[in-house]
Amino acid sequence: MTAQTLNNDSTFALHYMKAMGRAVTIRVMLHLKGVNYTNKVITAEEVAADRAALPFGQVPVLIETKADGTTLELGESLSIEHYLAEKFGWLGSTPEEAATLKSISLNIFFSLYNNCFVAKVPIHEAIADPTSLFNTKALPLFIATHERWLWKNGNNGHFFGDKLTYPDLTMLHWIRLFEGLGVKLDENSPIKKVEKTVKALEEWKGKYDAFHPFSSIDTI
């Protein structure tokens, strides 16, 4: 699977609220690739007033307009991320590599999302309680699983090869989110090395802190 050819005349419009929320990784992808994109702010009230205008009645929604005037409208944040990851060359070079990289990213997402937004105990309470299932089981299992993948790749700050791929960006988001909620990670761990490696990319153009999960587009 090779990266799709980028048409410099394509433009992207991301419809979402001011908060980073479920659109943060999408915004990071668009920024790092340096494509022509705009943030179209839509409020919760506007979404509720006309859900039929959106693919699945919710945001985020990404609209790509190509040079010939044709458009692609995508809903669901993970679907948008997968599309951009493939388009921008962050899913390897074969179907097998793409499947592996998607599986890593999906495991990162669902392992942590389920604890953050689905669990019965609010995540900030679980993090503050050293005896919680999150601290005693979920987080240690997550760290062990993904550090195993990172060691397998030589602990070089990437999940695959020696350059940026989709799981690196997924992990970056969740590291920043959970540390913002109070999780303490070993500064010398392979997971923190991913954060430091991605943070060092020149493509941020000085905007790394602006794309924090707890920030808003006002900082971009």
Side-chain angles (χ1 to χ4, degrees):
M1 179 176 295
T2 58
Q4 299 177 30
T5 301
L6 280 176
N7 189 320
N8 291 331
D9 293 324
S10 290
T11 60
F12 298 84
L14 181 61
H15 296 250
Y16 195 66
M17 294 166 281
K18 279 191 174 185
M20 286 297 176
R22 294 294 296 272
V24 60
T25 300
I26 300 168
R27 286 174 172 151
V28 166
M29 288 176 158
L30 294 168
H31 175 74
L32 291 181
K33 204 61 182 180
V35 298
N36 185 356
Y37 85 97
T38 56
N39 284 296
K40 299 291 186 181
V41 176
I42 183 169
T43 66
E45 292 75 19
E46 289 171 330
V47 171
D50 193 10
R51 293 190 182 276
L54 304 167
F56 302 108
Q58 59 191 17
V59 289
V61 171
L62 180 72
I63 300 177
E64 178 185 6
T65 303
K66 301 182 180 180
D68 61 4
T70 59
T71 61
L72 171 67
E73 185 178 44
L74 276 179
E76 293 294 342
S77 58
L78 293 180
S79 177
I80 296 170
E81 289 177 18
H82 291 178
Y83 172 70
L84 293 178
E86 180 178 350
K87 190 177 188 70
F88 295 164
W90 294 327
L91 279 180
S93 58
T94 67
E96 292 81 7
E97 290 175 357
T100 300
L101 293 171
K102 284 182 182 179
S103 72
I104 297 170
S105 290
L106 287 170
N107 182 268
I108 295 170
F109 178 86
F110 285 113
S111 294
L112 297 179
Y113 181 87
N114 288 341
N115 280 283
C116 193
F117 300 111
V118 181
K120 295 180 179 180
V121 179
I123 187 59
H124 64 279
E125 293 182 14
I127 290 172
D129 179 5
T131 66
S132 69
L133 288 176
F134 175 79
N135 281 318
T136 60
K137 292 186 178 180
L139 185 60
L141 176 61
F142 174 82
I143 291 173
T145 297
H146 289 284
E147 290 196 346
R148 185 168 64 248
W149 277 96
L150 291 165
W151 278 113
K152 183 179 178 180
N153 193 49
N155 189 27
N156 65 354
H158 296 292
F159 272 96
F160 183 81
D162 59 358
K163 60 183 180 180
L164 184 70
T165 57
Y166 180 35
D168 298 344
L169 295 175
T170 306
M171 180 61 81
L172 173 69
H173 165 64
W174 286 99
I175 291 173
R176 300 179 86 185
L177 178 68
F178 272 88
E179 287 192 327
L181 290 170
V183 171
K184 303 296 183 182
L185 296 172
D186 181 354
E187 287 296 323
N188 297 314
S189 68
I191 285 178
K192 285 292 288 184
K193 191 168 185 178
V194 172
E195 179 189 28
K196 295 171 184 176
T197 301
V198 178
K199 181 180 180 180
L201 293 173
E202 294 181 358
E203 288 85 349
W204 288 105
K205 297 181 175 66
K207 293 284 189 176
Y208 178 79
D209 291 333
F211 286 87
H212 192 280
F214 292 152
S215 66
S216 75
I217 63 170
D218 291 333
T219 65
I220 297 177

